[in-house]
Amino acid sequence: MKLKGSCHCGGVRFEVESSHPCPFNRCYCSVCRKTAGGGGYAINLAANNGTLKVSGGEHITIYHAIINGKPSPAERHFCKLCASALWVYDPRWPELIHPFASAIDSDLPIPPEKTHLMIDSKAGWVEIDEKPNDKCFSQYPRESIADWHERLNLTSAGS
Ligand SMILES: [Zn+2]
């Protein structure tokens, strides 16, 4: 499906095709929590970087988090006018971008189960709203966003 997204001030708009648009993946890491996580977690989607179209790209700034003393190669794209987190791009997986569900304006499907990841980094005040069939991981799960959609037969048609 086509995902349309924007920052809060409207300076940046983007669209991108995604076969894996279910917002099931809640990341409790400190970077997501501090830069994008209103609930103590951020929700990462996966989309096809080759289809990304951006307007207002001049308003985008990139943050490289320092992880274990070194800048992470992952690029966290955000709007420098309003600070909205937009997506993560990592040159180690150049075919993908990971838009934050919070930046998406299109109607996303409701996930039948969720994955809670990076729980070792969770803040103490954050309670995990764990439903039946949800899965919890202290770090990253082995199951990718694409694998999750395949397992639940939720891969979206088109690109
Ligand atoms: Zn903005």
Side-chain angles (χ1 to χ4, degrees):
M1 68 177 282
K2 180 176 285 189
L3 303 180
K4 292 189 176 193
S6 59
C7 66
H8 190 257
C9 76
V12 181
R13 298 186 184 280
F14 64 96
E15 52 181 69
V16 67
E17 285 291 335
S18 172
S19 307
H20 306 117
C22 234
F24 73 95
N25 208 33
R26 296 187 174 186
C27 182
Y28 295 76
C29 86
S30 67
V31 190
C32 279
R33 181 173 67 251
K34 294 213 170 198
T35 64
Y41 52 83
I43 302 178
N44 304 293
L45 309 174
N48 178 347
N49 187 35
T51 64
L52 177 65
K53 295 193 190 103
V54 179
S55 71
E58 69 275 19
H59 303 310
I60 294 176
T61 292
I62 290 170
Y63 174 58
H64 291 274
I66 306 293
I67 296 175
N68 299 326
K70 286 191 304 219
S72 163
E75 302 176 355
R76 290 173 175 266
H77 292 239
F78 67 99
C79 173
K80 66 185 170 194
L81 302 177
C82 70
S84 297
L86 298 167
W87 64 81
V88 179
Y89 167 75
D90 191 317
R92 291 170 288 185
W93 294 278
E95 70 283 4
L96 296 176
I97 68 160
H98 293 290
F100 292 108
S102 52
I104 300 300
D105 301 310
S106 311
D107 267 337
L108 296 173
I110 295 175
E113 62 175 67
K114 295 184 293 299
T115 294
H116 305 270
L117 66 144
M118 297 298 283
I119 287 171
D120 279 0
S121 303
K122 183 179 80 57
W125 59 266
V126 176
E127 294 182 281
I128 297 175
D129 180 23
E130 187 183 349
K131 299 271 169 35
N133 298 324
D134 282 9
K135 294 182 177 51
C136 293
F137 298 90
S138 55
Q139 301 203 344
Y140 279 97
R142 204 169 291 161
E143 184 178 58
S144 70
I145 291 177
D147 293 341
W148 182 96
H149 284 77
E150 301 295 332
R151 174 167 62 81
L152 294 168
N153 253 325
L154 291 170
T155 298
S156 160
S159 88

